[in-house]
């Protein structure tokens, strides 16, 4: 599942929600191309509340990933999405909820 933000100043923010199945449950993590100073994070929704989890700041123009060591359980009653933004909070984009 991927989302791409609008382009501004020749830059675009792209995030992906990766889902893997382990021990009968879905686990998710986020990866994104956000540029130096941008951020990638997961948002989790449970019982009507949304929390931001695992915000990572990009130190270069490479892809930023939370990696599987930051994976989050996405089981019954939980929903998750990947989000990202460019430096200064510009061009924020999120995937659809899973």
């Amino acid at each position: 599942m991927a989302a791409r933000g609008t382009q501004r100043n020749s830059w675009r923010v792209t995030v992906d929600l990766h889902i893997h199945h382990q021990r009968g449950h879905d686990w998710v993590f986020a990866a994104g191309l956000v540029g130096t100073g941008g951020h990638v994070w997961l948002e989790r929704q449970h019982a009507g509340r949304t929390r931001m989890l695992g915000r990572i700041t990009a130190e270069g123009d490479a892809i930023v990933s939370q990696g599987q060591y930051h994976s989050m359980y996405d089981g019954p009653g939980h929903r998750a999405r990947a989000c990202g933004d460019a430096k200064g909070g510009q061009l924020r984009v999120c995937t659809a909820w899973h």
Side-chain angles (χ1 to χ4, degrees):
M1 185 178 299
R4 178 173 287 170
T6 57
Q7 187 168 334
R8 187 180 308 148
N9 298 329
S10 74
W11 193 251
R12 185 183 300 264
V13 172
T14 302
V15 292
D16 294 293
L17 180 67
H18 295 268
I19 304 159
H20 60 101
H21 198 70
Q22 183 177 342
R23 289 180 249 138
H25 297 286
D26 286 344
W27 292 76
V28 298
F29 69 95
L33 181 59
V34 296
T36 304
H39 307 94
V40 173
W41 66 92
L42 282 171
E43 289 186 355
R44 178 174 57 192
Q45 204 172 62
H46 179 66
R49 297 179 63 185
T50 302
R51 290 184 49 203
M52 178 191 289
L53 305 169
R55 187 172 179 211
I56 306 281
T57 302
E59 296 179 11
D61 287 337
I63 290 176
V64 177
S65 175
Q66 290 185 293
Q68 292 191 19
Y69 59 93
H70 283 277
S71 63
M72 181 193 73
Y73 172 65
D74 181 28
H78 293 84
R79 296 187 332 155
R81 69 181 180 181
C83 296
D85 63 19
K87 186 175 183 176
Q90 299 179 50
L91 301 176
R92 181 186 163 145
V93 65
C94 294
T95 64
W97 288 101
H98 169 74

